[in-house]
Amino acid sequence: MIELKDLSYVRLGASNLEEAGSFATKCLGLQVGEQSGKALYLRSDDRAHTLCYFEGDPTDQTVGFEVEDESKLNAAAATLDQLGHPVHAGTPTECALRKVKAFIGFKDPTGNQIELAVRPERSGKRYFASRDAGITGFSHVGLSTTNPARDEQFWTQVCNARVSDRIGDIALMRVNAIHHTIALAPGRSPGIHHVNHQVESNDDVLRSYYHLSGQRVPIVFGPGRHPTSGARFLYFKGPDGMVFEYSVGVDEIEDEATHRPRQFGFEPSSLCMWGSRSAGVLPPNS
Ligand SMILES: [Fe+2]
């Protein structure tokens, strides 16, 4: 069993690195940790970075998860290899680019680029962004799936993800107490569906709604509230069409042993209990 401890980073190719950086700092509210040549490292919490934009193909998207140590990483590599997933061991240069001690890369059954990393770097400097969006941390990702049942099986049986709730056949999965760290989203091709940051309060969600609207950032869903996790949310579109989400108040699963996933219907009200409708960003409306 591959033990994912936490989400660590996302790496996104940017067709225009300058534009991506401007969005990340002026709209999203991240802090530049470091700019080195063709890569921009962005912070959302006390880690050295949680998002890296690099000059490249926007379809080149990777999600990194933290695992405990190098022996767990080696065991994960052996498990994946045995299951027929080709594994790439990160070279020292590639590790330096990710600010981790070691990592392996592989593809999930849909073809999403996944990395497992050991010892992601933290920063002694506190996160301090130039735009106060109220961000408290990097929290979850939506991952495209071309076969929800198969991918749920991969994340829950090969890895330690547990299903918290389902909308239709779409699983919202946790790797710790937080309601979900991985949300599957039906799609025709691999890729990151959305990137979530938590914010401090409902006020932050609504403040950002007005701020981003004023900046002409396309709002694609919300403000609203998910009946599954209980989170109040706002989804909006960033560079190269990537969807970002702010949310607050996500439930924690208090009793790991007795929690049973709830089944929600595959309909808009399962995504927003206030009546907001997604502009094609989430399945029941797309
Ligand atoms: Fe989300």
Side-chain angles (χ1 to χ4, degrees):
M1 176 77 78
I2 299 172
E3 293 276 332
L4 310 173
K5 279 185 64 186
D6 198 2
L7 196 54
S8 192
Y9 55 77
V10 288
R11 294 176 56 79
L12 302 176
S15 58
N16 183 325
L17 192 58
E18 202 179 319
E19 265 178 36
S22 169
F23 170 85
T25 51
K26 296 190 181 127
C27 298
L28 187 54
L30 302 184
Q31 177 190 5
V32 174
E34 187 186 321
Q35 173 139 32
S36 57
K38 294 177 177 175
L40 183 64
Y41 294 87
L42 295 148
R43 304 181 62 216
S44 61
D45 53 30
D46 55 3
R47 288 174 282 193
H49 87 293
T50 50
L51 168 62
C52 176
Y53 269 123
F54 59 91
E55 209 175 281
D57 179 355
T59 63
D60 189 352
Q61 305 167 352
T62 300
V63 180
F65 293 93
E66 187 179 353
V67 295
E68 185 69 32
D69 53 31
E70 287 186 71
S71 71
K72 294 266 170 61
L73 189 68
N74 294 338
T79 302
L80 290 163
D81 192 54
Q82 215 170 28
L83 291 169
H85 295 262
V87 174
H88 168 74
T91 64
T93 307
E94 290 169 333
C95 290
L97 284 173
R98 287 153 180 79
K99 301 181 183 298
V100 299
K101 173 71 178 162
F103 81 93
I104 58 169
F106 67 97
K107 288 184 177 174
D108 77 357
T110 282
N112 293 305
Q113 298 190 125
I114 309 296
E115 290 177 357
L116 305 180
V118 172
R119 289 164 53 183
E121 210 175 286
R122 303 186 90 76
S123 171
K125 293 181 197 159
R126 69 179 169 184
Y127 157 70
F128 184 79
S130 54
R131 165 170 131 68
D132 178 17
I135 289 178
T136 55
F138 174 42
S139 187
H140 71 253
V141 287
L143 275 183
S144 282
T145 172
T146 54
N147 182 333
R150 176 200 61 199
D151 290 355
E152 178 186 319
Q153 197 171 13
F154 173 81
W155 288 105
T156 57
Q157 294 185 18
V158 178
C159 304
N160 62 332
R162 287 89 68 194
V163 178
S164 292
D165 285 317
R166 287 186 191 85
I167 300 171
D169 290 330
I170 305 307
L172 302 173
M173 298 175 287
R174 66 189 183 281
V175 299
N176 46 41
I178 297 165
H179 183 275
H180 59 279
T181 297
I182 305 164
L184 295 178
R188 289 191 187 91
S189 51
I192 297 175
H193 179 269
H194 70 274
V195 175
N196 172 284
H197 293 88
Q198 292 292 300
V199 293
E200 199 172 284
S201 69
N202 289 347
D203 288 338
D204 292 315
V205 172
L206 293 168
R207 256 194 294 266
S208 279
Y209 171 68
Y210 289 108
H211 176 81
L212 296 174
S213 300
Q215 300 286 307
R216 298 180 187 279
V217 172
I219 306 293
V220 291
F221 194 15
R225 184 170 191 188
H226 292 310
T228 46
S229 65
R232 277 73 72 188
F233 65 79
L234 183 72
Y235 290 75
F236 49 98
K237 216 171 247 190
D240 300 307
M242 178 54 67
V243 172
F244 289 88
E245 177 190 13
Y246 293 134
S247 66
V248 61
V250 64
D251 283 344
E252 294 202 359
I253 302 300
E254 284 171 12
D255 193 341
E256 184 63 44
T258 59
H259 179 77
R260 289 190 65 230
R262 295 167 298 174
Q263 178 65 53
F264 287 81
F266 196 67
E267 57 190 1
S269 62
S270 297
L271 291 171
C272 181
M273 59 200 286
W274 292 348
S276 169
R277 293 293 175 258
S278 80
V281 65
L282 286 167
N285 273 8
S286 57

